[in-house]
């Protein structure tokens, strides 16, 4: 962990504007950068754009622009999107930059002079005839096609015949396979590692390192009639950006001394996990430590496409949710690394549930009560509080656990653990009820509860900073803290805040949003259906497990039972129309499901605060019970 950390995204292809696929990878890289910096590591974070190749030339021609002018235009969309998402990269490399082109030429010269272990030249000339997909910028075989077309771009590939320079990949495959099998080159997740090893089993051939008929590219230094193959060009950005060929001291630091991680989506697996390591081996350069390839995602169950109109512009998400909530919502849709689905229709609901209700509301009610009850001054700690030892233990364990998840690229797990502490703290606040303690004159206990909650809020703000950087700073400012307080050691220290410091909050950290419209960037009008609930309406319903502690019949009624129920953190009374199917003795002790946040009502003069769930068919009625022995208070979701 003392090594510098070098993390890269792919150089994104600029044939179109950025979408949430690009954003997902870049946000994840930014998050990892910030976590490592919190832990005291020196980090270099690289992103950029891939700007050469036939596809770019064609897109430029369609826009009546020269290729470079077209790239200049599209690159600004990427930079603006990253600015809007609070992405703080150290370097933005363009493959049209002079320093990059010079680095590629140097690498090609090195490869041209290199020999394999058998003494054969690494680069050799030959004639190539094969199928080439412009959309993929790669050669395909007949077995790659589906009904004669590229499965990704739905177009038949072109038949190419040309003289090329070839890279002798086959000479490096045995050693590369051994490095992957021994985890000297770590490929994550494990499913991707198995996929890479599977490529060795089906057979891999030497690949073309140049193109004869592609003019929009970097000319080979030893044969200007040929251009570097776009992947030889693009992959080299990882070394050109840190000084290869121009700043040897910088290059040595970040390529020889640092822990290197390449982060990307899995569609470019072969190029990064086989072509790139082989090129580095041939050039006698170190290999990266880790290549992490996250999965694909769909949008509301469908693949993103212009035809479906569901390509999401990250700027539209930022306009609706802000940069921090957009980062949070994209990274918490499903576990990082696997294929998943971005459920656009649930984003407002998740925002309100996690950020507005759980986190934002905790900050607001703690800070506001300190303002109203303690004149805006942080009260003293107090240790005789229900649940305080457990809360302290959870808070003290959290930083180490989060860092372990981050070291293993378990981003979702890290965020979940932090948010679970937020929810425990809300429960601690409700259990101790400092407003009641203050009303009863027990200001020490009330103040102690507020102090403990404030400390957790501070710790959570530090640990969530890589996820929601702007809002985390905003939370710290409530307690008079700032960026200088952002480090892991501070998160490990409970009782860090000095009693008496000023606590002040004006606006909600995460104001609640109304789910009045589906996110605008999807470009589809939401169709309503009579009698159907919107997901945001359903999300308002709070269903919990309860245990029936007492039951009795209501006088003058054959149908009603009065039930005393335990909800874990409180006890309630409800009236249920189940007396024809359940005796008081048979329902007592049962675990049931209760609609918790129903408005109180009086039934036959008896107050009912909630409603149990039951299913009915014909004359038969059955109370809904949880399948497993869940404790009272468990949430049904």
């Amino acid at each position: 962990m003392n090594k510098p950390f070098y993390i890269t995204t792919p150089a994104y292809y600029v044939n179109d504007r950025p979408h949430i696929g690009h954003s997902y990878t870049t946000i994840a890289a930014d998050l990892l950068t910030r976590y490592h910096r919190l832990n005291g590591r020196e980090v270099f974070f690289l992103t950029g754009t891939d700007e050469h190749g036939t596809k770019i030339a064609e897109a430029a021609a369609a826009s009546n622009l020269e290729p470079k002018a077209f790239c200049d235009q599209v690159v600004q969309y990427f930079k603006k999107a990253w600015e809007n998402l609070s992405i703080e990269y150290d370097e933005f490399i363009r493959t049209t930059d002079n320093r990059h082109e010079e680095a590629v030429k140097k690498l090609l010269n090195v490869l041209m002079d290199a020999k394999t272990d058998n003494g054969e030249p690494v680069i050799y000339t030959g004639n190539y005839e094969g199928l080439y997909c412009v959309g993929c910028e790669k050669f395909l075989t007949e077995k790659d096609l589906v009904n004669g077309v590229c499965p990704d771009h739905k177009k038949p590939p072109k038949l190419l015949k040309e003289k090329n320079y070839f890279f002798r990949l086959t000479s490096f495959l045995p050693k590369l396979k051994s490095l992957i099998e021994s985890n000297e080159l770590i490929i994550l997740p494990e499913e991707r590692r198995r996929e890479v090893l599977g490529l060795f089993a089906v057979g891999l051939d030497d690949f073309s390192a140049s193109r004869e008929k592609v003019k929009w590219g970097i000319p080979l230094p030893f044969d200007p009639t040929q251009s570097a193959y776009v992947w030889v060009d693009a992959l080299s950005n990882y070394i050109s950006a840190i000084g290869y060929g121009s700043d040897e001291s910088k290059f040595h630091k970040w390529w020889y001394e640092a822990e290197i991680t390449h982060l990307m989506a899995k569609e470019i697996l072969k190029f990064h996990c086989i072509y790139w390591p082989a090129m580095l081996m041939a050039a006698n350069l170190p290999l990266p430590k880790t290549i992490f390839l996250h999965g694909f995602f769909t949008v509301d169950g469908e693949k993103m496409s212009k035809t479906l109109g569901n390509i999401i512009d990250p700027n539209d998400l930022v306009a609706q949710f802000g940069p921090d909530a957009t980062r949070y919502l994209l990274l918490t849709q499903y576990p990082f690394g696997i294929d998943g689905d971005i459920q656009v229709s649930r984003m407002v609901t998740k925002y309100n549930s996690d950020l507005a209700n759980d986190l934002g509301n905790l900050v607001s009610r703690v800070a506001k009560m300190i303002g109203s009850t303690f004149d805006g001054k942080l009260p003293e700690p107090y240790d005789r509080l229900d649940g305080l030892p457990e809360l302290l233990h959870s808070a003290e364990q959290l930083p180490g656990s989060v860092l372990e998840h981050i070291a293993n690229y378990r981003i979702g797990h890290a965020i979940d653990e932090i948010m679970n502490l937020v929810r425990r703290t809300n429960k601690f606040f409700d259990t101790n009820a400092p407003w009641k303690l203050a009303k009863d004159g027990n200001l020490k206990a009330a103040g102690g509860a507020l102090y403990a909650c404030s400390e957790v809020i501070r710790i959570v703000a530090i640990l969530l900073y890589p996820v929601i950087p702007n809002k985390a700073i905003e939370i710290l400012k409530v307690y008079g803290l700032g960026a200088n307080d952002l480090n892991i050691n501070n998160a490990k220290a409970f009782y860090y805040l000095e009693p008496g410091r000023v606590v002040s909050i004006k606006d909600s950290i995460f104001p609640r949003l109304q789910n009045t419209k589906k996110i605008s960037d999807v470009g589809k009008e939401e169709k309503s259906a009579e009698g159907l609930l919107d997901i945001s309406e359903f999300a308002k319903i709070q269903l919990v497990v309860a245990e029936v502690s007492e039951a009795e019949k209501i006088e003058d009624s054959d149908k009603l039972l009065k039930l005393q129920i335990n909800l874990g953190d409180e006890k309630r009374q409800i009236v249920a129309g189940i007396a024809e199917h359940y005796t008081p003795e048979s329902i007592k002790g049962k675990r049931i499901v209760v609609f918790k946040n129903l408005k109180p009502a009086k039934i036959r003069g008896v107050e009912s605060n909630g409603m149990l769930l039951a299913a009915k068919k014909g004359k038969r009625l059955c109370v809904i019970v949880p399948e497993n022995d869940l404790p009272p208070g468990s949430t049904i979701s």
Side-chain angles (χ1 to χ4, degrees):
M1 296 298 288
N2 293 325
K3 274 188 170 186
F5 184 69
Y6 177 35
I7 186 165
T8 70
T9 72
Y12 299 116
Y13 213 49
V14 294
N15 61 314
D16 209 342
R17 298 187 185 192
H19 53 65
I20 58 169
H22 307 104
S23 305
Y24 185 77
T25 309
T26 314
I27 292 168
D30 184 78
L31 174 146
L32 292 167
T33 296
R34 292 177 189 266
Y35 269 120
H36 284 293
R37 284 183 175 147
L38 276 182
N39 199 29
R41 292 186 81 177
E42 191 177 2
V43 183
F44 194 94
F45 169 22
L46 172 70
T47 191
T49 45
D50 175 8
E51 303 178 21
H52 288 130
T54 303
K55 192 159 56 171
I56 299 296
E58 290 180 353
S63 300
N64 295 315
L65 291 170
E66 290 297 317
K68 182 62 163 62
F70 174 81
C71 293
D72 290 345
Q73 190 177 85
V74 179
V75 161
Q76 296 311 310
Y77 293 121
F78 278 86
K79 289 188 174 181
K80 186 62 178 176
W82 299 165
E83 179 186 346
N84 289 342
L85 286 164
S86 298
I87 305 294
E88 293 187 354
Y89 49 80
D90 292 288
E91 194 79 55
F92 189 105
I93 187 73
R94 298 179 58 181
T95 60
T96 53
D97 289 342
N98 287 335
R99 59 180 172 148
H100 174 76
E101 294 190 5
E102 291 305 310
V104 171
K105 289 176 181 178
K106 175 180 178 178
L107 179 62
L108 285 166
N109 277 328
V110 169
L111 294 176
M112 189 65 179
D113 293 338
K115 303 291 183 184
T116 68
D117 289 344
N118 295 330
E120 295 178 300
V122 169
I123 299 289
Y124 64 94
T125 57
N127 294 311
Y128 186 84
E129 179 176 340
L131 302 172
Y132 189 81
C133 174
V134 173
C136 295
E137 294 282 12
K138 69 179 180 181
F139 291 99
L140 302 175
T141 64
E142 291 288 350
K143 65 184 178 183
D144 294 323
L145 306 180
V146 177
N147 297 322
V149 301
C150 168
D152 292 328
H153 294 92
K154 313 302 180 188
K155 292 181 180 179
K158 296 179 180 180
L159 179 63
L160 293 180
K161 297 180 181 179
E162 59 183 35
K163 173 189 171 183
N164 291 154
Y165 288 84
F166 287 83
F167 179 86
R168 204 177 298 275
L169 177 67
T170 48
S171 294
F172 298 93
L173 293 178
K175 184 177 179 181
L176 178 56
K177 183 171 182 281
S178 175
L179 291 173
I180 295 171
E181 288 176 332
S182 65
N183 279 325
E184 290 180 67
L185 173 58
I186 299 170
I187 297 174
L188 296 172
E190 175 61 24
E191 181 183 354
R192 300 285 89 78
R193 177 175 176 271
R194 292 197 299 268
E195 188 176 340
V196 173
L197 290 173
L199 293 176
F200 289 94
V202 299
L204 292 160
D205 299 321
D206 295 347
F207 66 84
S208 176
S210 72
R211 295 292 310 281
E212 183 180 30
K213 298 174 183 177
V214 174
K215 301 307 177 187
W216 180 236
I218 299 174
L220 300 188
F222 43 81
D223 186 349
T225 67
Q226 300 257 338
S227 294
Y229 176 42
V230 66
W231 278 103
V232 174
D233 173 0
L235 290 165
S236 302
N237 89 90
Y238 301 131
I239 56 176
S240 68
I242 53 171
Y244 181 73
S246 61
D247 188 337
E248 288 306 309
S249 175
K250 181 179 179 181
F251 179 64
H252 193 275
K253 174 179 179 177
W254 292 109
W255 198 257
Y256 283 83
E257 298 175 7
E259 177 188 340
I260 304 165
T261 291
H262 294 323
L263 185 64
M264 71 210 67
K266 67 180 182 180
E267 77 264 28
I268 46 181
L269 175 147
K270 181 167 74 172
F271 305 106
H272 281 82
C273 298
I274 294 179
Y275 287 12
W276 178 232
M279 288 165 57
L280 292 169
M281 291 163 64
N284 199 29
L285 292 172
L287 270 57
K289 178 184 178 183
T290 304
I291 301 175
F292 191 102
L293 305 109
H294 65 74
F296 293 145
F297 61 77
T298 52
V299 175
D300 290 332
E302 297 179 317
K303 185 177 179 180
M304 277 200 305
S305 76
K306 290 182 179 179
T307 304
L308 293 173
N310 66 347
I311 292 180
I312 302 176
D313 185 332
N315 298 297
D316 291 329
L317 288 177
V318 171
Q320 180 160 358
F321 296 105
D324 296 81
T326 297
R327 292 163 65 104
Y328 181 90
L329 291 170
L330 287 178
L331 290 175
T332 57
Q333 290 284 308
Y334 57 88
F336 186 70
I338 67 171
D339 294 345
D341 187 47
I342 299 291
Q343 298 185 23
V344 177
S345 58
R346 295 189 61 186
M347 282 188 170
V348 171
T349 302
K350 187 166 183 61
Y351 169 97
N352 284 334
S353 172
D354 291 11
L355 299 177
N357 291 356
D358 290 340
L359 178 58
N361 191 44
L362 175 65
V363 177
S364 292
R365 57 183 182 161
V366 170
K368 286 178 180 178
M369 188 171 174
I370 291 172
S372 62
T373 308
F374 294 92
D375 297 322
K377 302 290 180 64
L378 185 68
E380 297 276 349
Y382 183 77
D383 59 5
R384 292 163 60 186
L385 294 165
D386 288 344
L388 181 60
E390 293 80 6
L391 187 69
L392 281 172
H393 178 75
S394 296
E396 288 167 352
Q397 294 297 310
L398 185 60
S401 181
V402 167
L403 287 181
E404 182 182 354
H405 287 312
I406 292 302
N408 290 284
Y409 303 91
R410 297 190 295 261
I411 291 174
H413 288 73
I415 298 172
D416 284 346
E417 285 211 28
I418 300 168
M419 293 306 295
N420 283 339
L421 180 59
V422 171
R423 296 181 186 106
R424 283 189 210 107
T425 308
N426 274 306
K427 187 172 182 180
F428 171 83
F429 184 90
D430 292 338
T431 299
N432 285 279
W435 63 93
K436 290 182 182 177
L437 293 170
K439 186 177 179 181
D440 294 340
N442 192 349
L443 290 176
K444 282 189 176 181
L450 294 170
Y451 181 91
C453 291
S454 295
E455 270 293 76
V456 174
I457 289 169
R458 179 188 63 82
I459 290 167
V460 162
I462 294 171
L463 295 176
L464 279 180
Y465 167 74
V467 189
I468 51 170
N470 307 293
K471 292 295 185 180
I473 294 290
E474 195 176 322
I475 292 170
L476 289 175
K477 285 181 178 178
V478 170
Y479 293 93
L481 304 174
N484 291 337
D485 299 281
L486 284 169
N487 65 69
I488 284 295
N489 287 335
N490 288 349
K492 293 176 180 177
F494 212 87
Y495 302 113
Y496 176 90
L497 292 170
E498 311 94 341
R501 70 164 47 240
V502 174
V503 178
S504 176
I505 189 169
K506 293 180 180 178
D507 302 315
S508 297
I509 303 296
F510 287 103
R512 283 187 61 82
L513 297 177
Q514 296 299 316
N515 197 10
T516 56
K517 188 177 180 182
K518 205 171 182 180
I519 295 171
S520 59
D521 61 294
V522 175
K524 293 195 239 178
E525 290 296 323
E526 191 171 33
K527 297 180 180 179
S528 61
E530 187 176 350
L532 298 182
L533 288 179
D534 183 85
I535 186 67
S536 63
E537 295 175 271
F538 178 77
K540 296 175 184 177
I541 299 171
Q542 296 178 16
L543 301 177
V544 298
V545 175
E547 184 174 30
V548 180
S549 54
E550 296 292 338
E552 61 181 296
K553 284 191 173 183
I554 292 179
E555 289 184 7
D556 301 325
S557 174
D558 296 325
K559 296 182 179 181
L560 301 177
L561 290 182
K562 180 170 68 174
L563 308 179
Q564 307 300 324
I565 59 172
N566 175 13
L567 295 171
D569 56 355
E570 65 174 309
K571 293 179 172 57
R572 287 191 184 183
Q573 175 177 284
I574 63 172
V575 174
I578 60 173
E580 292 179 315
H581 306 273
Y582 293 86
T583 65
E585 293 75 20
S586 65
I587 195 70
K588 183 178 178 180
K590 271 189 179 295
R591 299 279 170 87
I592 61 175
V593 177
V594 173
F595 185 176
K596 181 181 178 181
N597 59 331
L598 190 67
K599 289 182 179 179
K602 282 197 173 182
I603 303 172
R604 291 288 182 96
V606 179
E607 184 163 330
S608 180
N609 193 3
M611 180 177 72
L612 64 74
L613 269 60
K616 188 175 184 181
K617 183 175 182 180
K619 294 183 178 181
R620 186 183 177 196
L621 181 141
C622 293
V623 170
I624 302 296
V625 298
E627 181 180 4
N628 294 312
D629 191 25
L630 293 172
S634 299
T635 301
I636 308 296
S637 59

